[in-house]
Amino acid sequence: MSENRLSAGIGILIFFIALVVYTLTLEPTNSFWDCSEFIACAYNLEIGHAPGAPVFMLLGKIFSLFAGGDVTKVAFAINMLSAMASALTVMFLFWIICWFSKKIILKSENQYNFKNKQLLIFGASAIGALSFAFIDSFWFSAVEAEVYATSSLFSAIVFWAILKWEESGSGYESTRWIVLIFYLLGLSVGIHLLNTLTLPAMALIFYYKNYKPGFKGFSLTILVSFLMILIIIFGIIPGIAGMAAYSDLFFVNDLKLPVYTGVIFFVVSLSALLYFTYQRSLKWKSKWISTVIVAFSFWLIGYSSFTLLVIRSNANPFIDMNNVENIFGLVDYLNREQYPKRPLIYGNNYNSPVVDVKKRYTYKLYDGKYYKDELNPEYVYNNQTLSLFPRMASNDPDHEKAYQNWIKIKGRSVDIVQEDGTIKKILVPTFFDNIHFFLKYQLGHMYFRYFMWNFVGRQNDVQGRGSNLYGNWMSGIKFIDRLFIADEKNRPETDNYKKSRNVYYFLPLILGLIGLFFQYKKDRSNFLVVLLLFILTGIAIVVYLNEIPITPRERDYAYVGSYFAFSIWMGLGCLAIFTKIKYIRENKILGLLTLTVLFTLVPLKLFIENYDDHNRSNRHTARDYAKNMLNSCEKNAIVFTTADNDTYPIWYLQEVEGHRTDVRQILQPFIAMDWYANQLRLSYNQREGVDLSFKGTDLLMSRNRYFPIINKIDSAIDLAEAIKFIISKDPRTQVSTRDNEVLDYLPGNKLTMNVNKVNFSASCSYCNLSEDEIPEKIDFELPNRYLSRDEMLILDILAHNDWERPLYFVNENLLQSLGLSSYLYREGVMFRLLPFKNKLPEKLEHAQVLYQYKKVKDEFKWGNVNQSNVYLDYMNIQIVSMLRFREMFSEIANTLGNLGEKAKAIEILDLGMQLFPAERIPYSFFIPEMVEAYYISGAKNKGDELANEAGNFLNEELVYFESIKKQGQFNSISNEAGKDMYILQELVKITAVYSTETYNILNEIFERNYAILN
């Protein structure tokens, strides 16, 4: 068999090995975070969060067709896109390692006698590729519908294509590879911008083929390639859309022509310019210019995938982020204007005072005309407090302490003149403080920790925040691990900890380092190519992200390109071992045995260690939890959610599976955005629109950003009248600020909302109340001095709703700033607004709790959460706490017990314990409530049993923390110890009332641990 056929055959075999593994461990339905959104957007070709992924949407749509019309299989089919892309990435990595291996062998044939050349090349490359297939971060993305798997595939294909170009001849044969590369780079923008970072490594290969290597040429190549990245990301990508937008602005506003006339003119003009330039280059016989024009044209063809977003946005789908049918909306979308920006080279520190605010502008399209509107402003900071390379730049008050927890900030004293003329001294981080934070947190914690996870081992999958208890790297060699993490000898182990602890004994890292030094010695030029790829897809991303000290999740998925590069060295490490031992090099049997040993020690070890905590088969938690949220709601409800994990799964269920499409979901943080508020009026597939008083240009971001509360009226104001007052545009309803800004205001903080008894009764299936039993109105008081726009719009929704549709909130704190939280009552997973303050009438309370009891017992699904063969990662466990399921069970049981329904109360508590056992879901703040509910329900034995079980587990943890304290490491886990002591204290308080014997046991545990830990 020819070498090319053998290479292709082995590559395909490796592809199928990876694909089978990914398919067996694939998430069968939607996942948490962005995956649910991506699935919904792909299935219906909708517009997800910025900066968009139209190519991923199209590929996902194609894969969704394999569901065969079964909407419950759509998520699995789109998840298969990631599995397929990841397996193809592994295949291309195999061929890439083969290429680098051949280069080394060709340069070393005079030194070594390679009798088994193919065995060495293919064996080493297969080990490197399969090792990458089973590393932690890559496998994680391979089994869910996220863009990172497809992004990795495009990076791998582009890099493989430049290697094919290097092997090709001249003329057309060579140019076609360059054109293909730029077309793929253009397409890849429609997946993720990470692919652009491969340009410098590819530029080096181009340089080495065409020029004699030298420092000057090398430096110029790197500089030009870096400039290309900057021009593409910050210039061409937003610039082309920006020029089209301003062209349309001129044609629409000045020439009074239809919308998109200017866009069409710009596209035609750009196409004509490229065509005539190309024709001119042929006359000039300039191969360089013609190649550049063709390559750029194909890049534009790939990049044109974003027109899909504009087309689909015009159809007004339910998920229509930023409303990009407005071409300026597309520009803002590509620039990620809704997200905060942090300085990279020079700028503010976390405590830099703001001295000025510069307005930034865009345009919004209303009624066929563009209106000037404001973007997030640019803040100007005190010049004395600015720093070079500012790594501690977040202004979030919660982050200041976090920065100080990570490093000891020495700082420099700066005198600040305040508004009243007094001088205030502040301590501003120095350049070296920023470097210290960069090295310790951003580089050490947020990159090298992830790197070590993949090539050394991982302590557990609990998110690491600096503690030596969670989320650290771990080798499995105890005397080394003790230097970096807490001694785990006496640590209580849950099922989660056991499965997520993966140790590789440094073997993948050692193999990669051997390959790194081997390539450096044998093939210096190509070593620089791989090194550049490694740095740009790793450390360079760290610099660019300028990560904040508190993140909602781990970010290891962003650096998979760096692990891809290191896996090339793992393959070359196998080659190095072969070349160093003559007998292996020349004896096929010994060669096969060596390959078997290396395969067992690295890729097979990675596979065995990582399989259990990457196996998502039979897990349906994200889908079922969202179903429970929707099924908590009555018909035609409006439900307010707050974040990704309580929103995107609902989008998936409604948009893909068509479940409970009568419920209208509103994402509370988005309400203040004009495009989202305007979309609320639209109806989508049975989801009726929501009426608002604020319309069209009222919602421009330059208007009505907040509303002062000026107490001119002492009595309570009717909410509907208050809204009319604000929206009237009468100068008497407005107030001027010191900056001459005219604002609508609210003339009092005491409000009242009439209760439409007929509407309320009709919208509440279990509320069998007479009209006399329903209040005429509800009174509430606004606690703050102003209303933000989102708060005002929520009040507007309440006023217009007139109790016609049930209103639900995922968190009762959502109405705290409006003084309405005392009118919220749990209804299943959600909280419902009812016209009763603090306490429901007993008859209604009884009906409501029986309604909840039936739903939880008979209708709710739990995603196989209690099955031991279903792995629950840290996020799945966190969602149980976030949605407060245990609290739900205990609250329902408490109410049932107090109303005399003790058998039902015990039944619901038993169900909760069965679904969320401690070995699956560790004890949390809500366990004491479960214990008390058992006591209230008359199940003293079960209450004692749960209290003692929780107390024993907490005691085991606290004894472990005591051992850590003796090692001088207590500071890193003091919060964990404090949490356990709080839960234990609550158990002591409860048992003191209900069970003297259990109280004595728990109190002894509490007092002993309190004396030791304080």
Side-chain angles (χ1 to χ4, degrees):
M1 185 182 294
S2 70
E3 184 175 309
N4 287 340
R5 287 190 176 183
L6 187 59
S7 175
I10 296 173
I12 293 171
L13 175 62
I14 287 171
F15 160 76
F16 278 111
I17 291 171
L19 183 62
V20 168
V21 171
Y22 298 149
T23 304
L24 291 174
T25 57
L26 199 72
E27 186 112 28
T29 182
N30 59 309
S31 311
F32 289 114
W33 294 110
D34 297 343
C35 303
S36 298
E37 178 201 17
F38 280 126
I39 293 169
C41 289
Y43 183 63
N44 288 324
L45 296 181
E46 300 181 66
I47 294 85
H49 67 273
V55 173
F56 179 87
M57 286 166 50
L58 288 170
L59 292 172
K61 180 61 179 178
I62 293 170
F63 271 75
S64 73
L65 300 177
F66 292 97
D70 184 349
V71 291
T72 64
K73 297 292 191 296
V74 166
F76 181 87
I78 298 177
N79 288 341
M80 276 300 298
L81 168 60
S82 290
M84 182 74 72
S86 298
L88 287 169
T89 302
V90 175
M91 179 182 73
F92 279 103
L93 176 59
F94 166 76
W95 290 329
I96 288 168
I97 300 174
C98 285
W99 187 88
F100 285 108
S101 299
K102 289 176 187 176
K103 290 291 183 181
I104 291 176
I105 285 180
L106 287 173
K107 291 184 178 182
S108 306
E109 279 187 322
N110 294 332
Q111 185 178 356
Y112 304 113
N113 179 23
F114 292 103
K115 290 188 176 179
N116 302 307
K117 188 188 303 183
Q118 288 186 349
L119 177 67
L120 302 186
I121 292 173
F122 296 144
S125 301
I127 287 173
L130 288 173
S131 296
F132 177 70
F134 304 134
I135 64 171
D136 179 82
S137 299
F138 186 68
W139 196 341
F140 185 90
S141 295
V143 291
E144 64 178 16
E146 252 280 16
V147 296
Y148 294 100
T150 318
S151 175
S152 295
L153 173 60
F154 270 78
S155 295
I157 295 175
V158 165
F159 199 74
W160 170 80
I162 196 65
L163 303 182
K164 297 297 290 183
W165 168 85
E166 197 273 347
E167 292 177 343
S168 66
S170 58
Y172 169 75
E173 184 182 357
S174 171
T175 304
R176 62 178 182 167
W177 287 107
I178 299 296
V179 172
L180 173 64
I181 287 167
F182 276 88
Y183 174 64
L184 292 173
L185 285 173
L187 277 177
S188 71
V189 176
I191 297 174
H192 202 283
L193 290 175
L194 285 174
N195 304 279
T196 311
L197 297 176
T198 59
L199 270 172
M202 293 190 295
L204 274 187
I205 292 173
F206 180 87
Y207 167 69
Y208 288 136
K209 180 178 179 179
N210 289 288
Y211 302 96
K212 184 179 179 180
F215 178 78
K216 183 178 178 181
F218 172 85
S219 302
L220 186 61
T221 301
I222 298 298
L223 178 61
V224 170
S225 60
F226 270 70
L227 286 174
M228 285 179 66
I229 292 176
L230 295 175
I231 290 170
I232 289 173
I233 293 177
F234 298 108
I236 297 175
I237 291 175
I240 288 176
M243 287 187 285
Y246 278 99
S247 174
D248 207 50
L249 174 67
F250 173 73
F251 275 77
V252 172
N253 281 18
D254 293 346
L255 302 183
K256 311 301 181 185
L257 293 173
V259 177
Y260 297 121
T261 306
V263 175
I264 294 169
F265 173 80
F266 172 78
V267 171
V268 171
S269 299
L270 179 61
S271 302
L273 176 64
L274 291 171
Y275 174 77
F276 288 116
T277 305
Y278 176 74
Q279 291 294 327
R280 180 61 62 181
S281 70
L282 295 179
K283 292 182 179 180
W284 294 335
K285 297 183 179 179
S286 174
K287 180 183 175 182
W288 280 101
I289 295 177
S290 61
T291 302
V292 168
I293 293 297
V294 172
F296 179 64
S297 298
F298 272 82
W299 184 92
L300 284 174
I301 292 170
Y303 174 56
S304 68
S305 63
F306 279 89
T307 58
L308 170 68
L309 301 184
V310 179
I311 293 168
R312 291 296 299 144
S313 183
N314 271 280
N316 292 320
F318 178 69
I319 307 173
D320 189 9
M321 298 281 198
N322 287 73
N323 194 35
V324 296
E325 66 189 71
N326 168 9
I327 192 68
F328 280 97
L330 179 63
V331 175
D332 300 337
Y333 184 77
L334 293 171
N335 284 326
R336 297 168 60 92
E337 291 290 354
Q338 72 190 72
Y339 300 107
K341 292 178 173 59
R342 294 185 285 273
L344 295 181
I345 307 301
Y346 187 78
N348 65 287
N349 286 287
Y350 63 83
N351 58 350
S352 296
V354 176
V355 296
D356 193 13
V357 178
K358 293 183 178 180
K359 292 184 178 181
R360 299 168 58 244
Y361 297 99
T362 185
Y363 289 87
K364 303 290 176 61
L365 184 64
Y366 288 104
D367 300 322
K369 181 181 177 182
Y370 286 107
Y371 289 83
K372 192 173 185 179
D373 197 15
E374 293 181 15
L375 292 169
N376 290 330
E378 177 185 349
Y379 295 101
V380 180
Y381 296 92
N382 185 292
N383 195 51
Q384 295 174 279
T385 66
L386 305 183
S387 295
L388 184 66
F389 199 57
R391 300 289 95 187
M392 295 185 283
S394 172
N395 292 321
D396 189 320
D398 293 334
H399 293 167
E400 179 173 351
K401 186 177 179 181
Y403 285 129
Q404 294 166 350
N405 287 339
W406 273 102
I407 66 166
K408 185 177 180 180
I409 299 174
K410 295 180 180 179
R412 57 186 174 89
S413 181
V414 176
D415 292 336
I416 302 297
V417 180
Q418 301 186 95
E419 287 187 7
D420 60 3
T422 59
I423 303 295
K424 179 183 178 181
K425 288 186 178 293
I426 64 171
L427 200 66
V428 177
T430 66
F431 170 72
F432 292 104
D433 288 330
N434 279 288
I435 290 293
H436 187 189
F437 180 76
F438 170 71
L439 294 175
K440 185 174 182 180
Y441 176 75
Q442 293 183 334
L443 200 58
H445 188 73
M446 297 298 285
Y447 174 72
F448 281 115
R449 178 173 62 102
Y450 298 148
F451 177 82
M452 299 293 271
W453 280 3
N454 287 280
F455 302 106
V456 174
R458 186 174 183 177
Q459 183 185 22
N460 50 56
D461 70 354
V462 179
Q463 185 171 355
R465 301 193 185 276
S467 160
N468 55 12
L469 277 180
Y470 303 121
N472 300 291
W473 65 268
M474 179 180 182
S475 68
I477 303 173
K478 292 184 179 179
F479 77 91
I480 295 177
D481 293 337
R482 287 196 193 104
L483 299 174
F484 302 100
I485 63 175
D487 188 349
E488 303 215 326
K489 182 179 179 181
N490 300 315
R491 182 173 192 159
E493 288 194 333
T494 63
D495 178 69
N496 180 62
Y497 289 160
K498 289 176 185 176
K499 289 184 177 180
S500 62
R501 181 180 293 122
N502 304 316
V503 294
Y504 321 131
Y505 306 106
F506 286 95
L507 294 174
L509 177 66
I510 292 170
L511 186 62
L513 291 175
I514 290 172
L516 183 155
F517 290 112
F518 179 66
Q519 190 186 32
Y520 174 79
K521 183 178 179 181
K522 298 294 181 182
D523 189 4
R524 189 74 53 85
S525 296
N526 286 316
F527 165 77
L528 292 174
V529 171
V530 181
L531 179 65
L532 197 57
L533 181 65
F534 176 77
I535 291 173
L536 284 176
T537 53
I539 296 172
I541 294 176
V542 175
V543 174
Y544 173 75
L545 290 178
N546 196 3
E547 197 63 82
I548 55 178
I550 300 174
T551 59
R553 61 186 293 199
E554 301 283 18
R555 301 296 191 190
D556 55 300
Y557 53 82
Y559 308 109
V560 166
S562 185
Y563 314 148
F564 180 94
F566 192 80
S567 297
I568 295 174
W569 285 325
M570 282 201 291
L572 298 181
C574 297
L575 190 66
I577 293 171
F578 276 96
T579 59
K580 290 297 180 183
I581 304 175
K582 179 180 179 182
Y583 299 107
I584 297 176
R585 206 167 58 236
E586 297 181 356
N587 187 297
K588 184 173 288 189
I589 295 176
L590 285 176
L592 287 170
L593 286 174
T594 304
L595 282 174
T596 302
V597 171
L598 289 171
F599 175 80
T600 303
L601 291 176
V602 182
L604 185 60
K605 175 67 174 172
L606 288 165
F607 171 78
I608 292 170
E609 286 287 322
N610 292 340
Y611 188 90
D612 55 0
D613 56 310
H614 288 78
N615 181 12
R616 305 192 193 184
S617 60
N618 208 32
R619 188 172 80 193
H620 299 83
T621 49
R623 183 197 66 187
D624 286 357
Y625 293 172
K627 275 188 176 180
N628 294 344
M629 293 169 68
L630 288 172
N631 290 342
S632 296
C633 303
E634 294 230 58
K635 188 176 180 182
N636 295 323
I638 298 172
V639 55
F640 291 83
T641 57
T642 60
D644 296 4
N645 289 324
D646 58 27
T647 300
Y648 294 162
I650 289 177
W651 289 2
Y652 160 78
L653 274 177
Q654 293 187 321
E655 292 298 281
V656 178
E657 294 195 12
H659 181 76
R660 289 301 305 270
T661 53
D662 59 297
V663 176
R664 180 60 182 266
Q665 176 272 337
I666 298 176
L667 184 52
Q668 182 267 336
F670 280 11
I671 296 176
M673 299 178 186
D674 60 322
W675 55 267
Y676 189 77
N678 281 312
Q679 289 171 9
L680 291 179
R681 291 190 191 81
L682 304 178
S683 297
Y684 303 91
N685 186 24
Q686 298 179 330
R687 283 162 289 185
E688 294 180 15
V690 177
D691 288 334
L692 288 170
S693 301
F694 296 86
K695 294 180 173 66
T697 55
D698 293 334
L699 293 165
L700 289 172
M701 301 309 291
S702 56
R703 305 178 187 178
N704 299 318
R705 289 172 298 173
Y706 67 97
F707 304 83
I709 299 173
I710 303 174
N711 289 320
K712 294 186 175 183
I713 301 176
D714 292 333
S715 58
I717 307 169
D718 179 74
L719 178 60
E721 292 301 318
I723 299 293
K724 289 179 182 177
F725 180 88
I726 286 173
I727 205 74
S728 69
K729 300 294 187 298
D730 190 317
R732 292 172 295 178
T733 68
Q734 297 173 330
V735 62
S736 297
T737 68
R738 286 184 298 176
D739 299 326
N740 296 319
E741 186 177 9
V742 177
L743 300 175
D744 296 305
Y745 74 94
L746 191 65
N749 67 334
K750 296 176 183 177
L751 297 173
T752 184
M753 181 164 55
N754 293 328
V755 177
N756 187 318
K757 297 182 180 184
V758 174
N759 285 349
F760 172 69
S761 296
S763 67
C764 186
S765 63
Y766 60 81
C767 297
N768 188 21
L769 299 173
S770 66
E771 284 196 13
D772 293 340
E773 294 172 298
I774 302 172
E776 296 286 338
K777 62 183 179 178
I778 65 172
D779 298 311
F780 56 103
E781 188 171 324
L782 303 173
N784 300 320
R785 297 170 60 186
Y786 68 91
L787 286 172
S788 61
R789 178 192 282 209
D790 61 310
E791 291 168 341
M792 176 55 74
L793 291 179
I794 289 174
L795 290 177
D796 194 11
I797 291 170
L798 296 183
H800 274 89
N801 186 55
D802 197 26
W803 301 93
E804 183 176 356
R805 298 165 73 176
L807 293 171
Y808 291 86
F809 299 82
V810 74
N811 190 321
E812 72 268 41
N813 293 331
L814 278 178
L815 290 185
Q816 191 168 4
S817 65
L818 296 175
L820 283 165
S821 56
S822 56
Y823 292 96
L824 286 177
Y825 297 86
R826 177 179 288 282
E827 214 162 272
V829 181
M830 310 299 286
F831 294 87
R832 182 174 180 175
L833 184 71
L834 295 173
F836 304 92
K837 190 171 186 178
N838 295 322
K839 180 72 174 173
L840 293 174
E842 186 172 329
K843 183 171 76 171
L844 181 59
E845 185 179 37
H846 204 145
Q848 190 207 40
V849 76
L850 291 176
Y851 168 82
Q852 294 186 78
Y853 163 80
K854 185 177 184 303
K855 277 193 173 293
V856 172
K857 180 175 173 289
D858 300 331
E859 295 182 28
F860 282 9
K861 304 294 181 184
W862 301 101
N864 301 325
V865 67
N866 61 336
Q867 293 186 14
S868 59
N869 65 332
V870 174
Y871 177 67
L872 297 179
D873 60 18
Y874 172 68
M875 182 46 57
N876 274 269
I877 292 171
Q878 285 296 99
I879 295 297
V880 171
S881 295
M882 186 193 82
L883 294 178
R884 296 154 67 173
F885 289 142
R886 279 178 172 151
E887 183 188 50
M888 178 189 70
F889 281 102
S890 61
E891 283 189 12
I892 293 172
N894 266 325
T895 305
L896 286 168
N898 286 321
L899 293 172
E901 301 277 1
K902 296 187 182 299
K904 287 184 172 64
I906 295 169
E907 184 182 11
I908 210 73
L909 286 169
D910 288 346
L911 176 62
M913 293 307 301
Q914 174 193 335
L915 289 170
F916 305 111
E919 61 270 18
R920 302 284 289 159
I921 309 293
Y923 290 113
S924 66
F925 291 107
F926 303 119
I927 280 297
E929 295 182 12
M930 299 281 283
V931 172
E932 185 173 29
Y934 268 123
Y935 287 139
I936 289 172
S937 304
K940 181 177 180 298
N941 290 339
K942 291 187 176 184
D944 287 343
E945 182 182 353
L946 178 56
N948 282 310
E949 184 181 311
N952 289 333
F953 178 83
L954 293 169
N955 183 54
E956 287 180 13
E957 278 206 337
L958 290 166
V959 168
Y960 171 61
F961 295 153
E962 177 191 347
S963 70
I964 294 176
K965 184 177 182 181
K966 290 178 180 177
Q967 299 169 28
Q969 300 175 325
F970 184 68
N971 286 340
S972 64
I973 50 87
S974 58
N975 288 338
E976 295 295 322
K979 181 199 76 173
D980 284 358
M981 288 297 292
Y982 173 81
I983 298 171
L984 192 56
Q985 184 179 37
E986 291 299 303
L987 289 171
V988 169
K989 289 179 181 177
I990 291 166
T991 53
V993 176
Y994 296 100
S995 178
T996 303
E997 182 182 351
T998 304
Y999 163 77
N1000 290 333
I1001 295 171
L1002 295 179
N1003 191 54
E1004 182 183 349
I1005 294 173
F1006 176 80
E1007 289 182 349
R1008 175 163 48 81
N1009 284 290
Y1010 183 83
I1012 292 170
L1013 295 173
N1014 287 277

